Amino acid sequence: MKLVTAAIIIENNEILIARRSSKSKLPGFWEFPGGKIEGDETPQECLERELEEELGIKSKAKEIIKESRYKYSHGDFLLLAILTKLLDHDFKLTAHDEVRWIPISKLLEYKLAPADIPIANHVVEKYSITA
């Protein structure tokens, strides 16, 4: 099973999602940015490295808030959703073709990668502010 991290970045009741490029697995799907844990990295170290590699941003990864297991045709994954704070907002995309800030309440309206859906449900339930 591959261990993968996913950044849960919330600012002003909006959440950051990224769309996978046409060159990646699951092209066109939206996801929480992140990536595979390598070597003896902690999940937080992995996430901070991946966000810098894929989005060109500095961040501070905090606690794991949810896990999601999913079996894709290309392997079994355990996705660790980690609350993350951005330290800058100057995106330079490499693995995605778009990033978007969306209201948390609209998260489930997007075509999310299957492994991200249980995490999205948790985020909407726990972090969405209803007026």
Side-chain angles (χ1 to χ4, degrees), residues 2-44:
K2 296 180 179 105
L3 290 174
V4 180
T5 59
I8 306 303
I9 304 167
I10 298 171
E11 294 182 6
N12 303 316
N13 201 36
E14 291 186 324
I15 190 161
L16 184 75
I17 57 174
R19 188 173 62 195
R20 297 180 64 86
S21 76
S22 61
K23 299 176 194 121
S24 64
K25 288 183 172 82
L26 302 173
F29 279 85
W30 291 90
E31 67 178 357
F32 303 112
K36 291 184 213 62
I37 296 174
E38 297 178 359
D40 59 354
E41 287 181 312
T42 67
Q44 289 80 4

Side-chain angles (χ1 to χ4, degrees), residues 5-10 42-45 47-48 51 59-65 80-87:
T5 59
I8 306 303
I9 304 167
I10 298 171
T42 67
Q44 289 80 4
E45 289 167 340
L47 190 55
E48 290 170 5
L51 291 177
S59 62
K60 178 63 180 160
K62 299 176 181 180
E63 70 270 13
I64 296 170
I65 61 164
L80 306 174
I82 301 173
L83 274 182
T84 306
K85 178 174 177 42
L86 289 189
L87 302 178

Side-chain angles (χ1 to χ4, degrees), residues 4 7 23 29 34 51 53-54 57 83 86 100-101 107 117-118 124 126:
V4 180
K23 299 176 194 121
F29 279 85
L51 291 177
E53 288 175 3
E54 293 186 355
I57 54 173
L83 274 182
L86 289 189
R100 192 177 287 179
W101 288 100
L107 183 57
I117 293 172
V124 168
K126 185 165 182 181

Side-chain angles (χ1 to χ4, degrees), residues 56-91:
I57 54 173
K58 300 274 189 205
S59 62
K60 178 63 180 160
K62 299 176 181 180
E63 70 270 13
I64 296 170
I65 61 164
K66 179 80 175 160
E67 295 181 0
S68 172
R69 296 181 196 285
Y70 196 81
K71 183 180 182 98
Y72 288 105
S73 60
H74 56 279
D76 293 346
F77 292 83
L78 175 60
L79 187 58
L80 306 174
I82 301 173
L83 274 182
T84 306
K85 178 174 177 42
L86 289 189
L87 302 178
D88 69 62
H89 292 77
D90 186 22
F91 296 104

